[in-house]
Amino acid sequence: YRQLITAQCDLIMVLGNPTSVTQRLPTAIRLWNRHKNALLLPCGGVVTPGGTATESEQMRETCLAKGVLPDHIVLENRSTNTRENIEFAAPLVHSTGIPQPTVIVVSSPTHMRRVQMNLDRFINLYPQGTSFILYPSNVMRCTRGNWVQNQDMVEETATELGFIHEYIYELGYAHFDF
């Protein structure tokens, strides 16, 4: 991931979930500190029944407290799942007016396959020539060699495989019947 320090970056999209503020957002803020001209795009709507604050608003408050400039934050505050994160962020990327933007997408390591599936599915909604760089948070926590040794990571990976199975079924890939 050293190449990202010098790579062009126009937007840093951080995908919401209940632990985004503590696990994903610190990585996104570190990236923003390396790319001060980039826009930070926290994604996530209201996910708790009866709740009012969105995940993206909670992330915005943390960003401001950590020194991110207010005019560098663009909120996607309607999504409640990965598909919606990717789908609903597209008009916001368009609204920046940046031609052929480079977007770094920050999420957890086990979530990256599903993120990629959704990017493939909704790429046509983004400005032509948009480049995506997937950047996992908590890189040191999950590696090829250690994930099976940590019960939390085994459970997180198993849950993610279940989501991927649902996506494969939803997309109609019958030859992936498992």
Side-chain angles (χ1 to χ4, degrees):
Y1 299 107
R2 285 178 207 219
Q3 67 190 20
L4 293 179
I5 295 171
T6 59
Q8 171 194 343
C9 173
D10 300 303
L11 291 108
I12 301 164
M13 183 187 314
V14 58
L15 302 185
N17 89 344
T19 61
S20 291
V21 172
T22 58
Q23 293 184 7
R24 297 175 183 178
L25 191 58
T27 299
I29 292 171
R30 279 194 303 278
L31 287 168
W32 183 82
N33 281 316
R34 293 180 193 141
H35 303 278
K36 296 266 186 178
N37 291 326
L39 297 174
L40 197 57
L41 177 55
C43 298
V46 176
V47 293
T48 53
T52 56
T54 67
E55 289 173 335
S56 61
E57 289 166 343
Q58 292 169 353
M59 287 191 273
R60 180 181 192 277
E61 294 307 312
T62 300
C63 288
L64 293 172
K66 298 289 184 181
V68 177
L69 303 173
D71 59 339
H72 283 242
I73 303 171
V74 178
L75 298 183
E76 183 290 297
N77 58 10
R78 298 182 304 139
S79 61
T80 60
N81 58 45
T82 306
R83 180 189 60 78
E84 291 176 352
N85 286 161
I86 301 302
E87 184 179 4
F88 297 166
L92 298 171
V93 174
H94 268 287
S95 73
T96 67
I98 300 169
Q100 299 181 331
T102 297
V103 181
I104 297 176
V105 182
V106 177
S107 193
S108 62
T110 56
H111 191 219
M112 286 301 175
R113 288 188 195 274
R114 191 157 35 115
V115 172
Q116 185 63 61
M117 291 172 79
N118 280 286
L119 286 171
D120 291 346
R121 187 176 185 187
F122 294 108
I123 191 70
N124 62 320
L125 299 180
Y126 285 83
Q128 186 173 5
T130 300
S131 314
F132 292 96
I133 300 170
L134 301 184
Y135 194 93
S137 60
N138 307 321
V139 172
M140 297 306 293
R141 192 170 85 103
C142 177
T143 66
R144 282 186 191 181
N146 78 358
W147 74 271
V148 77
Q149 298 165 357
N150 179 312
Q151 186 60 36
D152 290 338
M153 288 308 304
V154 169
E155 290 173 14
E156 191 174 323
T157 301
T159 300
E160 193 58 38
L161 286 172
F163 283 124
I164 290 170
H165 180 255
E166 289 176 25
Y167 274 71
I168 289 170
Y169 180 77
E170 181 181 318
L171 295 172
Y173 293 112
H175 58 280
F176 283 107
D177 187 20
F178 43 113

